[in-house]
Amino acid sequence: GVMKAVKSHNRRQPSATSTAAPADGNAARKVAAKPRAPISPPTTVELRGVPIHFPFEPYACQRDYMEKVLDALFRSENALLESPTGTGKTLCLLCSTLAWQREEARKIHTDPQYLKPGMPRRVPTIIYASRTHSQLSQVVRELRNTRYRPRHAVLGSREQMCVNPKVKRRGALASDINHDCSRLGQERKCQFRN
């Protein structure tokens, strides 16, 4: 007879133990499945009166970091914050600033007393700057792990974005790429730009 393969859409979740049949056809043996680490679901924490959506329950150091970010934002001050590698700085910075921006927008649009007279009814703009393009790419990847979906644009230098082979020659220095790209654009001699 002809056998048909049927794809099941109703798959059973693996249990803590499963029965596996050895390849040699001997009796089935019990195999302990590796237990999965519990994953904390997305959560909302309120810090400094701002509800912050976070992809999981934040650790104490992440809460502290986000509170320092909010403190600086509320006082319209610069902040120099540091934390060891792997502590979630990027995620904390994104979630706290975007939550603050969302809260500011809510207050601007719902509370007429919130703004001082003569101040524009504009939601604050967030500019995230980084030294390298790869760091900005990491930020965009982290942003996808959050609930926040702000309009954003990634801007790059001529060194990163120029596609003209005359400018992007092998071994060219960043300053040469910048200069040559700028010159060709001003002279309207770049087939990729004009």
Side-chain angles (χ1 to χ4, degrees), residues 4-188:
K4 286 185 179 178
V6 178
K7 186 176 182 181
S8 173
H9 293 289
N10 189 10
R11 293 191 178 158
R12 228 173 24 105
Q13 293 295 326
S15 61
T17 61
S18 60
T19 305
D24 63 5
N26 292 333
R29 59 186 164 82
K30 289 281 187 180
V31 177
K34 187 176 182 180
R36 293 183 182 173
I39 298 173
S40 173
T43 188
T44 300
V45 294
E46 188 165 312
L47 301 173
R48 306 288 194 254
V50 177
I52 300 174
H53 303 298
F54 209 69
F56 50 87
E57 184 65 36
Y59 295 108
C61 67
Q62 292 171 324
R63 286 175 178 264
D64 292 344
Y65 192 94
M66 290 189 286
E67 285 178 336
K68 298 298 182 195
V69 170
L70 291 170
D71 289 343
L73 290 168
F74 283 130
R75 292 191 304 254
S76 297
E77 294 178 350
N78 294 325
L80 180 60
L81 304 170
E82 60 182 347
S83 188
T85 301
T87 55
K89 293 180 292 290
T90 302
L91 188 59
C92 289
L93 187 58
L94 286 171
C95 289
S96 57
T97 55
L98 292 170
W100 171 81
Q101 183 187 46
R102 182 179 283 177
E103 187 66 12
E104 287 292 298
R106 186 191 65 76
K107 289 176 183 175
I108 288 169
H109 296 303
T110 61
D111 184 1
Q113 305 299 316
Y114 182 68
L115 292 174
K116 295 175 185 165
M119 287 185 69
R121 298 183 72 81
R122 261 196 332 251
V123 176
T125 300
I126 297 172
I127 299 174
Y128 195 110
S130 176
R131 190 177 63 81
T132 67
H133 207 276
S134 62
Q135 288 170 336
L136 287 176
S137 297
Q138 177 197 349
V139 171
V140 172
R141 280 193 306 275
E142 284 289 336
L143 184 59
R144 290 186 187 127
N145 293 329
T146 72
R147 281 191 192 168
Y148 300 99
R149 297 293 179 260
R151 288 186 1 217
H152 64 279
V154 177
L155 305 177
S157 65
R158 289 184 184 99
E159 177 189 3
Q160 291 289 329
M161 306 303 282
C162 183
V163 295
N164 191 324
K166 293 176 184 174
V167 173
K168 294 283 282 197
R169 57 192 185 278
R170 189 178 299 246
L173 298 174
S175 59
D176 295 336
I177 293 172
N178 187 37
H179 177 265
D180 293 347
C181 185
S182 177
R183 183 180 47 79
L184 284 177
Q186 287 173 352
E187 295 172 357
R188 303 185 83 51

